[in-house]
């Protein structure tokens, strides 16, 4: 299925947010997620199904000063 991740088109095989995060290499990373512009808590990722055309944003905390 084709979705947008951080503004770029991706073809993914996963059907949930958690599966797609793992597929794209963020499976164990500490990240924040938003689906179609709405914050998605970590606890909801396993049960949240994706549909073609969805927009997923993945944000990682940056350290520095």
């Amino acid at each position: 299925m084709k979705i947008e991740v951080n503004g770029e088109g991706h073809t993914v095989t996963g059907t949930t947010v958690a599966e797609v995060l793992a597929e794209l290499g963020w499976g164990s990373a500490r990240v924040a997620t938003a689906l179609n512009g709405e914050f998605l808590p970590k606890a909801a990722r396993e049960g949240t199904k994706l549909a073609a055309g969805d927009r997923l944003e993945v944000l990682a905390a940056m350290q520095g000063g």
Side-chain angles (χ1 to χ4, degrees):
M1 132 179 63
K2 292 184 181 185
I3 64 170
E4 186 177 297
V5 181
N6 293 347
E8 296 182 10
H10 286 268
T11 299
V12 296
T13 59
T15 60
T16 67
V17 172
E19 290 171 352
V20 168
L21 288 174
E23 185 176 335
L24 297 177
W26 285 305
S28 61
R30 294 182 65 169
V31 295
T33 53
L35 181 60
N36 298 321
E38 297 290 325
F39 172 73
L40 183 68
K42 181 178 180 179
R45 294 176 190 165
E46 289 283 336
T48 301
K49 298 280 187 182
L50 292 168
D54 276 348
R55 293 175 294 116
L56 180 64
E57 294 293 326
V58 183
L59 305 168
M62 295 182 68
Q63 293 184 355

